[in-house]
Amino acid sequence: MVSDESAPRSHDFVHTPGYGYAIMWDSPADLRLPFDGIDRSLATDIFFPMPGETRFLAMSIPPDSLFTSAEFDAAAAAAEAIEYTPGAGEIFAGEIFEVDNPDMHETPTVDYSIVFDGEVWLELPGGGEAHLTRGDVVVLQDARHAWRNKTDSPATMYGVMVGANK
């Protein structure tokens, strides 16, 4: 199947301007060829893939300054995130949040991430940080991390999440 349409499973967040995602493709754990023509991203009821499943994702990350803006409504942003990233709330609810870095998280996935446009900072526990620019690649394996955008413009990343057993 070939398409030049927008990804049907996508959302540009209203309460977090500059943040958005599109699930470009989803494959099941028992992937079989030839392809049956079914776009599984529409039927996916959780954001993160289960063991053996994959999600090909495009994501825009807004500047960090958004979150300290007087107009930013954290409660509305959280409610919208729960609605449009089903299952993520359950994963993040079990997190031990760091007081000085509440966005630090880990997911039950192996992630292959590529910075497509802009700049992001990958923060790791203990204060480790990597400044990433266009073309940089990161592979995360169940690692605690946070994505930061310290610039004035949104950044775009593409990645594949592979669900894994913990």
Side-chain angles (χ1 to χ4, degrees):
M1 180 170 87
V2 175
S3 172
D4 64 355
E5 303 292 322
S6 296
R9 182 75 183 269
S10 61
H11 184 69
D12 290 323
F13 286 73
V14 173
H15 298 290
T16 312
Y19 175 59
Y21 77 88
I23 296 175
M24 308 299 287
W25 196 254
D26 175 279
S27 62
D30 64 342
L31 182 61
R32 302 200 186 273
L33 296 176
F35 172 58
D36 60 12
I38 298 170
D39 182 354
R40 286 173 178 75
S41 68
L42 296 171
T44 299
D45 59 355
I46 59 171
F47 188 75
F48 294 106
M50 298 300 290
E53 296 178 343
T54 67
R55 304 276 188 283
F56 175 37
L57 184 74
M59 180 173 64
S60 61
I61 302 170
D64 286 356
S65 60
L66 168 73
F67 304 105
T68 57
S69 163
E71 294 83 34
F72 181 67
D73 183 342
E80 185 178 21
I82 289 168
E83 179 179 354
Y84 287 96
T85 56
E90 291 80 1
I91 287 175
F92 292 115
E95 294 286 331
I96 300 170
F97 288 101
E98 298 177 14
V99 174
D100 58 346
N101 194 348
D103 296 328
M104 192 72 79
H105 65 280
E106 64 187 63
T107 58
T109 59
V110 174
D111 301 336
Y112 307 101
S113 302
I114 301 166
V115 178
F116 179 74
D117 189 41
E119 301 176 57
V120 294
W121 282 255
L122 170 62
E123 290 187 2
L124 299 167
E129 181 178 84
H131 177 215
L132 306 169
T133 60
R134 184 180 179 96
D136 286 340
V137 176
V138 174
V139 178
L140 294 172
Q141 301 178 39
D142 190 40
R144 286 190 62 71
H145 67 283
W147 297 108
R148 297 279 182 232
N149 179 347
K150 299 177 184 182
T151 72
D152 294 329
S153 301
T156 303
M157 296 182 69
Y158 289 97
V160 175
M161 299 184 292
V162 181
N165 290 306
K166 280 189 96 167

